[in-house]
Amino acid sequence: MTNPTTTVTRTWTCILFDLDGTLTDSAPGITSSLARMFAALGQPVPTPAQLLEYVGPPLLDSLKSFGGMTESEAREALAVYRADYAQHGALDSAVFPGIRGLLERVHAAGIPLALATSKPEIQATRILEHFGLAQYFDVITGATEDESRSAKADVVAEALRRLGERGVDLEHTVMVGDRQYDVEGASAHGLPTILVEWGYGSPAEAAGAIAVVHSADQLSSLLLG
């Protein structure tokens, strides 16, 4: 892991945040809806550890890679999952400790914030509004309903496009996430990533991140100095 105090000294002009595993502990709602989805499809329900692997990457991809489904099977499963998640799982989550105060401080400092998540944008917006966090974000970007935009690199691209339209200075932009998908998606656009340890990634996923933080206070010091 990288020592953040010696490697991150930049003043950021814009910050992108992931949602699941970064701002909110959303795994309970996601994995319970996934379990009900597999049961409804008459398939064996994966173990809790296996279900956790689905949290983070675009779900359509995970259903094919982890679940061994064809494209058509994955899209059918995705529809079943989303119907259950919208009704039962979306709000079965909690804001991680210290995150609300962190977002308040960054917002007060005048640094533009954007959400960049592979979760459907309508659900991401609903979750941020439910927890009273939407007010801190200039842009909320997520996946499209048809999954044509779901890869993290594509979501980041759309977030940057929307920020650019608002006249935001993107010269020193940083991504904050918890999985390798965040690192790779940001890197595709030349952006550095700070990873949080409280999310759903493994230590091996920190490769490529400029820093790894273990608390919201530590993250705050890297984002605000």
Side-chain angles (χ1 to χ4, degrees):
M1 292 185 183
T2 308
N3 181 348
T5 59
T6 60
T7 60
V8 184
T9 57
R10 183 173 297 169
T11 300
W12 306 108
T13 59
C14 183
I15 303 167
L16 308 184
F17 278 95
D18 174 48
L19 179 60
D20 297 331
T22 302
L23 301 179
T24 59
D25 182 8
S26 50
I30 294 172
T31 56
S32 62
S33 285
L34 281 169
R36 288 190 290 269
M37 176 205 77
F38 280 108
L41 294 173
Q43 297 190 20
V45 177
T47 66
Q50 290 171 329
L51 287 172
L52 198 58
E53 293 180 348
Y54 285 82
V55 182
L59 187 53
L60 189 66
D61 293 343
S62 294
L63 290 169
K64 290 184 285 189
S65 59
F66 299 144
M69 298 182 185
T70 63
E71 177 76 21
S72 60
E73 289 171 341
R75 289 193 175 276
E76 177 189 357
L78 184 66
V80 173
Y81 165 82
R82 283 188 174 167
D84 184 282
Y85 186 75
Q87 184 174 359
H88 303 292
L91 304 182
D92 184 8
S93 59
V95 180
F96 282 113
I99 289 297
R100 187 181 306 277
L102 167 67
L103 294 177
E104 287 177 355
R105 291 191 295 275
V106 173
H107 182 70
I111 302 175
L113 291 175
L115 190 79
T117 175
S118 291
K119 183 185 291 295
E121 191 168 304
I122 188 170
Q123 291 293 357
T125 302
R126 177 187 176 201
I127 290 165
L128 289 183
E129 290 177 344
H130 173 77
F131 288 113
L133 301 180
Q135 60 184 312
Y136 303 120
F137 288 87
D138 296 78
V139 166
I140 297 173
T141 311
T144 52
E145 289 299 309
D146 65 359
E147 293 287 303
S148 60
R149 182 179 72 235
S150 63
K152 183 54 68 92
D154 294 339
V155 173
V156 169
E158 178 62 14
L160 294 174
R161 186 190 68 78
R162 294 179 187 179
L163 289 163
E165 285 186 343
R166 296 171 67 100
V168 172
D169 180 358
L170 302 173
E171 184 176 0
H172 296 305
T173 301
V174 65
M175 178 82 200
V176 180
D178 71 313
R179 300 294 307 272
Q180 68 186 53
Y181 308 99
D182 299 311
V183 178
E184 294 168 353
S187 179
H189 301 282
L191 306 182
T193 300
I194 298 171
L195 280 194
V196 303
E197 283 190 338
W198 56 79
Y200 309 128
S202 65
E205 295 185 50
I210 59 169
V212 179
V213 296
H214 56 73
S215 70
D217 284 343
Q218 190 181 22
L219 178 58
S220 179
S221 71
L222 297 191
L223 297 179
L224 295 172

